Amino acid sequence: MKHTEHIYLTPMPVRIWHWLNAFGIVTLCITGLQIRFPDHANIFGTYKAAISLHNTAGVVVSISYALWLLYYMLVAGTLVKLYIPTIDDITRGVFRQAFFYFFHYFLGRPNPHHATPDSKFNPMQKAAYLMIMLVLLPLVIVSGAALMYIAPMREFILIIGGIKTLVSAHFLIACSFCAFLFVHIYLATLGHTPLAYFKPMWNGWEKVEHGEEEHEGAHKTEHAH
Ligand code: HEM
């Protein structure tokens, strides 16, 4: 018997954070492009307008990041469980998942990972989200804050090698965010329908179809034949 489960996967605070953060990061990338290449990309009128929009988006992303971290650490308490890859994820899981994305997906084989509220991410997602959320986002926030408050952060800027190093680091991390965005959006369309992974990010619920096997963690189950 085949049945369809609806799993409540993404709580509301995470969904609000995600779309606010996505909007903020896209704004930062576009305004950042104008700030870095003012002669080639004049999107927001004046240079000053691009800088103030960039700074505002930076503050919004930083505050929402702090709330995201507090939520996962103190309210949900699932940061480590969801975001830190296990030894098995690193030694076998990432390869199995990469094999799926590069080959098995195109042969119509099933995804080796089944999302549950306690194990939402496959090993590749865990590795990518860990890097983005716990390494690159904090680094881009700190380097951006140092560029916004150069005088008070003078000592820190000198310690890390001066303003040129700081600007280059901020720019390189921003480039990796742009690269992440393209891959992230492409991989997010590889569910059983192109919008299948977008729905839980919008209303919280993921629809999972099962064959013979039983699945735990369901909150609402519909049966079909
Ligand atoms: C327009 C831009 C974006 C779109 C369309 C988008 C789309 C999605 C979708 C469909 C998911 C659910 C599927 C999955 O877990 O992979 C997701 C999850 C996620 N995205 Fe994005 N995303 C965008 C931007 C971003 C950015 C800029 C970041 C980080 C800097 C980000 C970080 C995440 C994280 C950490 C999750 C997992 C959230 C959780 O359930 O805890 N996304 N995104």
Side-chain angles (χ1 to χ4, degrees):
M1 191 170 64
K2 218 177 165 193
H3 68 262
T4 307
E5 260 185 343
H6 286 91
I7 303 173
Y8 189 60
L9 211 55
T10 316
M12 196 194 292
V14 175
R15 284 179 274 145
I16 295 173
W17 160 79
H18 179 268
W19 294 116
L20 188 65
N21 177 69
F23 185 63
I25 297 274
V26 170
T27 307
L28 284 166
C29 289
I30 300 171
T31 48
L33 193 74
Q34 177 168 350
I35 296 166
R36 182 77 181 192
F37 306 105
D39 297 333
H40 303 282
N42 188 350
I43 306 153
F44 297 95
T46 63
Y47 190 69
K48 221 173 150 191
I51 292 193
S52 64
L53 192 54
H54 194 78
N55 289 350
T56 308
V59 171
V60 170
V61 165
S62 307
I63 294 172
S64 66
Y65 175 71
L67 294 174
W68 172 87
L69 199 59
L70 286 177
Y71 172 80
Y72 262 120
M73 279 168 55
L74 305 179
V75 181
T78 49
L79 188 72
V80 172
K81 189 164 56 180
L82 294 183
Y83 277 81
I84 310 291
T86 60
I87 300 287
D88 185 63
D89 286 334
I90 296 165
T91 51
R92 290 189 307 150
V94 274
F95 300 103
R96 192 172 51 220
Q97 197 63 38
F99 211 69
F100 167 72
Y101 283 137
F102 283 109
F103 299 107
H104 286 165
Y105 174 79
F106 299 101
L107 299 174
R109 305 253 177 93
N111 192 326
H113 180 262
H114 302 287
T116 65
D118 286 341
S119 168
K120 254 199 293 191
F121 306 135
N122 68 50
M124 273 178 76
Q125 280 174 311
K126 274 191 199 172
Y129 292 158
L130 174 72
M131 194 64 189
I132 286 288
M133 298 306 299
L134 298 176
V135 180
L136 294 180
L137 205 46
L139 282 178
V140 88
I141 290 172
V142 170
S143 57
L147 286 166
M148 244 172 113
Y149 302 105
I150 291 180
M153 307 272 285
R154 193 173 171 275
E155 290 301 315
F156 167 74
I157 296 173
L158 288 175
I159 292 170
I160 61 161
I163 198 97
K164 274 193 173 168
T165 312
L166 179 63
V167 170
S168 308
H170 192 70
F171 176 68
L172 284 177
I173 302 166
C175 290
S176 50
F177 270 98
C178 291
F180 163 77
L181 259 181
F182 285 104
V183 179
H184 181 56
I185 295 172
Y186 166 66
L187 291 181
T189 63
L190 301 189
H192 61 277
T193 67
L195 289 182
Y197 294 153
F198 284 79
K199 285 183 188 150
M201 223 46 205
W202 189 251
N203 64 15
W205 293 89
E206 173 151 322
K207 195 173 161 190
V208 186
E209 286 184 356
H210 293 283
E212 296 294 308
E213 86 277 26
E214 280 306 320
H215 196 280
E216 286 179 9
H219 292 233
K220 198 166 123 192
T221 310
E222 285 176 1
H223 288 275
H225 299 279

